[in-house]
Amino acid sequence: MARPTIADIARRAGVSKGAVSFALNGRPGVSAATRERILRVAEEMNWRPHSAARALGGARAGTVGLVLARPARTIGLEPFFGQLLSGLQAALSTRGTALQLLVVEDTAAEIEVYRRWTSEHRVDGFVLVDLQVRDPRVPVLEELGVPAMVIGGPGRHGRLPSVWADDREAMLSLVEYLAALGHRRIAHLAGLPAFQHTRRRIRAVRDGARRLGLEAVSLPTDFSDAEGAAATRALLARPRRPTALIYDSDVMAVAGLGVAAEMGVAVPGELSVVSFEDSALARIVHPALTALTRDTFALGEQVARALLALLDDPGTARDIKNPTPRLTVRESTAAPGDRTA
Amino acid sequence: MARPTIADIARRAGVSKGAVSFALNGRPGVSAATRERILRVAEEMNWRPHSAARALGGARAGTVGLVLARPARTIGLEPFFGQLLSGLQAALSTRGTALQLLVVEDTAAEIEVYRRWTSEHRVDGFVLVDLQVRDPRVPVLEELGVPAMVIGGPGRHGRLPSVWADDREAMLSLVEYLAALGHRRIAHLAGLPAFQHTRRRIRAVRDGARRLGLEAVSLPTDFSDAEGAAATRALLARPRRPTALIYDSDVMAVAGLGVAAEMGVAVPGELSVVSFEDSALARIVHPALTALTRDTFALGEQVARALLALLDDPGTARDIKNPTPRLTVRESTAAPGDRTA
DNA sequence: CAGTATGACTAAACCGGTCTAGCGAAGGGG
DNA sequence: CCCCTTCGCTAGACCGGTTTAGTCATACTG
């Protein structure tokens, strides 16, 4: 038999379709004995639910969506997304839910996908990343009334619940670490100012530097290796150049490392380099990068669990705090002017 | 009105559901005038097909699957998949088809996903990557009778059609390039020997070296930065160490670069380094890596188009050749012993 | 002009589940 | 002992499309 349906099971078990549906979904309406028998028959016949049939009838689509807006041909998935993806899928798969991933060109296209997938009933909910300052996606998702979890925060994402890590606290710890090493002039190679987390990190650098009496400057970039390199070149060419650089991403930090090597600036002897984002990339370059480490896989799991809970009960929208990233010291940082390093 | 259905359109246009279905799908059965009117009404009401309803009734699921088997926490580093994904999606989206991506732990789990998604009608077809030597996934997909496109080849994938690039030709061009620079002792840091492309590349290195009278050795690794680094360390510690290294992946090449720096071996002065895989990563490290460049985005598009054609007409299974990767020379290669570099 | 082919369209079955209304039997309360 | 509730289950509507069988009017054929 090709693909048994619940009608086949019902016939074989001598019950009705309804009884089979109840039994297979673990809901009341059948006795324990009958349920047992039905499950055994379903197992024997190797029955699998037809996802489309289930999605019809107003039930779940069994899928949640993740849409990334970035130019298609630029760098592939950053390690962050690979990890996040795996974490999301790990948690979702325990509940038979799939993750639909789509990469689009820009935010407008992203919003269009939200509308389409919602009206086509393709997904039950969304995961939102890269929260922007006055994020246009938030009101759209609220209007669509579709469950969604935001990664990032706190605050500024309307009524949508979020999972967030304390970027401010993390950045402060970075600045304090550099200050403790003896650095007095630091620079921060930030990401796109349109992102909320970029703004938060810039503010944290400013506040931390002020408190510790450091000179600090933040330079916004577009997160690309090209701009990271260009900004680094400009900084190192200054007469009183900084003795430590904080990069918002591992890719930019690696690009910066390349510029330092090219300009003959020794790392960490003459320049300390720190990445706000840890990854395999940060480990394999030479010198290995001191970086903020966070468990992105676990973050993904947490987000997925929260979204599943939200699907079960739309009332449970609450913000959840993720552990603050911890500093992993490697070879790219030292006291300023330490010629032995 | 929440979500109009074809019944709503039918009522408004004063025709039957069937007529609407015919009109919206561009098939005969309605006059041009009626079709026009129905389309206008559908547009006015902002109608969108309900993907589940369509998938029921034996029609398309409107989705194809890509399942990657690799340890959950390691993915994301390779730019290859990001590019491939974007290319696949670009071509698929022109036909309203979505891509379902899943990362699983191993090949056994991957096969289980093929079975499940097929029996659940979740996808219409699959894209298969990382072809292995006696790949157990091939017979399963053949048995399931589900359309699938293989990336890799040529040969050794049963009746499944593939899109392939000439790895052998590419590797030979690499070896010839190094020989022309004057290298006589080269080593090849290969990937997992279980992969067909790894075997092909190893054979190409051996054949090329024999023809050109070089000493060559291939060392298999697991593609990880750790093994890449370890193998590099072992090679450079040999008394008569090679003057050029070919890495099967950019990640390993970067790790190797780190080892060389650590051991005080100048690149490219004392050692030339080449990566078989180009990427942003290869560009941003210092020195920038000479690498084989291929248009992975275009590859993805090509695969997607071939798969869509296969869905339309299961008879059209043909292997397609992708352009051979071209060498991009950067800073990591020079003549052996060139102290000016 | 009868007979038939063709085109436009309708009605209804169908895909494979979910879910509600309802029914008979058993159990419990007063 | 009767009524009412609860339990276990069935029948069938329903989700939103696709597809087939069939109807009717018109055009074509000989």
Side-chain angles (χ1 to χ4, degrees), chain A residues 74-205:
Chain A
T74 60
I75 196 165
L77 291 182
E78 281 148 57
F80 175 80
F81 285 109
Q83 298 279 337
L84 184 70
L85 213 59
S86 301
L88 287 169
Q89 291 179 335
L92 290 174
S93 67
T94 64
R95 292 272 304 275
T97 304
L99 181 75
Q100 186 82 48
L101 173 72
L102 186 62
V103 181
V104 298
E105 278 290 313
D106 52 39
T107 304
E110 185 179 340
I111 288 177
E112 181 52 30
V113 172
Y114 290 144
R115 291 192 188 283
R116 200 177 58 221
W117 283 3
T118 305
S119 70
E120 289 177 2
H121 263 206
R122 218 179 241 287
V123 297
D124 300 314
F126 290 101
V127 174
L128 208 65
V129 295
D130 290 340
L131 205 58
Q132 297 164 33
V133 169
R134 208 183 306 275
D135 203 306
R137 303 169 298 172
V138 172
V140 171
L141 288 170
E142 289 185 331
E143 168 208 331
L144 289 171
V146 61
M149 284 296 305
V150 172
I151 298 183
R156 302 289 135 219
H157 38 77
R159 293 187 306 279
L160 304 180
S162 81
V163 174
W164 60 286
D166 199 332
D167 269 18
R168 178 183 173 80
E169 200 56 50
M171 184 56 96
L172 287 174
S173 76
L174 260 188
V175 173
E176 281 161 15
Y177 165 71
L178 291 173
L181 278 178
H183 292 275
R184 287 292 166 264
R185 235 175 7 256
I186 67 180
H188 168 212
L189 288 291
L192 278 168
F195 289 150
Q196 288 191 18
H197 64 246
T198 299
R199 299 246 179 143
R200 258 197 306 278
R201 293 178 195 176
I202 290 177
R203 267 200 302 273
V205 167

Side-chain angles (χ1 to χ4, degrees), chain A residues 3 48-51 56 63 73-74 77 83 86 89 98-101 103 119-122 225 281 284, chain B residues 3 48-51 56 63 72-73 76 83 89 98-101 103 119-122 225 281 284 297:
Chain A
R3 195 168 213 323
R48 299 290 167 77
H50 190 302
S51 54
L56 203 55
T63 306
R73 284 179 178 264
T74 60
L77 291 182
Q83 298 279 337
S86 301
Q89 291 179 335
L99 181 75
Q100 186 82 48
L101 173 72
V103 181
S119 70
E120 289 177 2
H121 263 206
R122 218 179 241 287
D225 59 284
L281 183 52
I284 64 179
Chain B
R3 194 162 217 323
R48 299 289 168 77
H50 190 302
S51 53
L56 203 54
T63 306
R73 287 175 178 264
Q83 298 278 338
Q89 290 180 336
L99 181 75
Q100 186 83 47
L101 172 72
V103 182
S119 71
E120 287 178 1
H121 262 205
R122 218 180 241 287
D225 57 285
L281 182 53
I284 64 178
F297 183 92

Side-chain angles (χ1 to χ4, degrees), chain B residues 108-153:
Chain B
E110 185 179 341
I111 288 176
E112 180 52 29
V113 171
Y114 290 145
R115 292 193 187 282
R116 199 176 61 223
W117 282 3
T118 303
S119 71
E120 287 178 1
H121 262 205
R122 218 180 241 287
V123 298
D124 301 313
F126 290 101
V127 174
L128 208 66
V129 295
D130 290 339
L131 205 57
Q132 297 163 33
V133 169
R134 208 182 307 272
D135 203 307
R137 301 171 299 171
V138 172
V140 171
L141 287 170
E142 288 184 332
E143 168 209 331
L144 289 170
V146 60
M149 283 298 304
V150 171
I151 299 183

Side-chain angles (χ1 to χ4, degrees), chain A:
Chain A
M1 153 137 10
R3 195 168 213 323
T5 70
I6 56 166
D8 299 322
I9 296 175
R11 205 174 310 120
R12 183 112 142 225
V15 293
S16 70
K17 276 171 61 184
V20 174
S21 179
F22 291 145
L24 291 172
N25 291 293
R27 41 176 69 212
V30 285
S31 67
T34 310
R35 179 187 307 275
E36 168 69 22
R37 182 159 45 92
I38 292 174
L39 289 177
R40 215 174 41 241
V41 172
E43 170 71 19
E44 268 172 36
M45 302 181 77
N46 194 26
W47 175 85
R48 299 290 167 77
H50 190 302
S51 54
R54 233 178 209 173
L56 203 55
R60 291 273 173 86
T63 306
V64 301
L66 172 63
V67 188
L68 302 178
R70 46 195 60 210
R73 284 179 178 264
T74 60
I75 196 165
L77 291 182
E78 281 148 57
F80 175 80
F81 285 109
Q83 298 279 337
L84 184 70
L85 213 59
S86 301
L88 287 169
Q89 291 179 335
L92 290 174
S93 67
T94 64
R95 292 272 304 275
T97 304
L99 181 75
Q100 186 82 48
L101 173 72
L102 186 62
V103 181
V104 298
E105 278 290 313
D106 52 39
T107 304
E110 185 179 340
I111 288 177
E112 181 52 30
V113 172
Y114 290 144
R115 291 192 188 283
R116 200 177 58 221
W117 283 3
T118 305
S119 70
E120 289 177 2
H121 263 206
R122 218 179 241 287
V123 297
D124 300 314
F126 290 101
V127 174
L128 208 65
V129 295
D130 290 340
L131 205 58
Q132 297 164 33
V133 169
R134 208 183 306 275
D135 203 306
R137 303 169 298 172
V138 172
V140 171
L141 288 170
E142 289 185 331
E143 168 208 331
L144 289 171
V146 61
M149 284 296 305
V150 172
I151 298 183
R156 302 289 135 219
H157 38 77
R159 293 187 306 279
L160 304 180
S162 81
V163 174
W164 60 286
D166 199 332
D167 269 18
R168 178 183 173 80
E169 200 56 50
M171 184 56 96
L172 287 174
S173 76
L174 260 188
V175 173
E176 281 161 15
Y177 165 71
L178 291 173
L181 278 178
H183 292 275
R184 287 292 166 264
R185 235 175 7 256
I186 67 180
H188 168 212
L189 288 291
L192 278 168
F195 289 150
Q196 288 191 18
H197 64 246
T198 299
R199 299 246 179 143
R200 258 197 306 278
R201 293 178 195 176
I202 290 177
R203 267 200 302 273
V205 167
R206 193 195 53 206
D207 295 350
R210 185 175 300 160
R211 202 177 62 214
L212 297 163
L214 313 183
E215 275 180 57
V217 57
S218 287
L219 268 61
T221 72
D222 64 356
F223 269 122
S224 73
D225 59 284
E227 284 205 10
T232 304
R233 195 165 287 120
L235 279 168
L236 294 185
R238 291 187 182 181
R240 294 180 68 236
R241 70 178 186 225
T243 61
L245 300 180
I246 301 173
Y247 290 85
D248 262 14
S249 82
D250 49 353
V251 170
M252 288 202 297
V254 171
L257 226 43
V259 170
E262 181 192 309
M263 294 176 73
V265 179
V267 176
E270 300 171 84
L271 181 72
S272 286
V273 171
V274 188
S275 168
F276 199 89
E277 195 74 60
D278 198 3
S279 69
L281 183 52
R283 270 197 340 261
I284 64 179
V285 291
H286 192 84
L289 290 169
T290 294
L292 279 180
T293 309
R294 57 174 157 179
D295 192 342
T296 308
F297 183 91
L299 172 65
E301 287 183 306
Q302 197 167 33
V303 170
R305 274 197 303 270
L307 183 53
L308 287 171
L310 194 60
L311 298 182
D312 287 338
D313 178 5
T316 57
R318 275 184 43 249
D319 286 2
I320 299 170
K321 186 164 181 299
N322 202 243
T324 301
R326 292 180 345 278
L327 190 67
T328 302
V329 176
R330 296 205 182 87
E331 309 157 9
S332 65
T333 45
D338 180 356
R339 311 298 300 187
T340 69

